[in-house]
Amino acid sequence: MKTRLLFILILFILLPFAAEAQCAMCRAVLESEGDQSMAKGINDGILYLMIFPYLLIGGIGYFIYRSRKKAKESEEA
């Protein structure tokens, strides 16, 4: 069970790094420019914004897991 949870956690941590997406308007503006540093900055900003929902869902999942574990331990005692 712990290895499964660890695998899922690592998957969710690495998943945003594989994504490089932009809205259609941002892509059109950034592709028309010759300098790709601005496009790289936009992609990095999108990735940073994507991290917070994963952290929130992960935190909620952890608290649910912890409360169920405590309930199970108190039930066994």
Side-chain angles (χ1 to χ4, degrees), residues 30 32-40:
L30 293 174
S32 66
E33 294 181 9
D35 187 19
Q36 293 298 317
S37 64
M38 186 181 290
K40 178 74 173 145

Side-chain angles (χ1 to χ4, degrees), residues 1-2 9 13 20 28 46 53 55 70 73:
M1 177 68 177
K2 285 186 179 183
L9 179 66
I13 289 173
E20 288 200 22
I46 291 169
L55 290 175
K70 282 184 181 181
E73 288 176 359

Side-chain angles (χ1 to χ4, degrees), residues 16 18-33 35-50:
E20 288 200 22
Q22 299 168 343
C23 69
M25 294 301 292
C26 294
R27 181 179 300 247
V29 169
L30 293 174
E31 284 180 352
S32 66
E33 294 181 9
D35 187 19
Q36 293 298 317
S37 64
M38 186 181 290
K40 178 74 173 145
I42 295 290
N43 282 334
D44 289 342
I46 291 169
L47 291 178
Y48 293 138
L49 290 173
M50 285 175 53

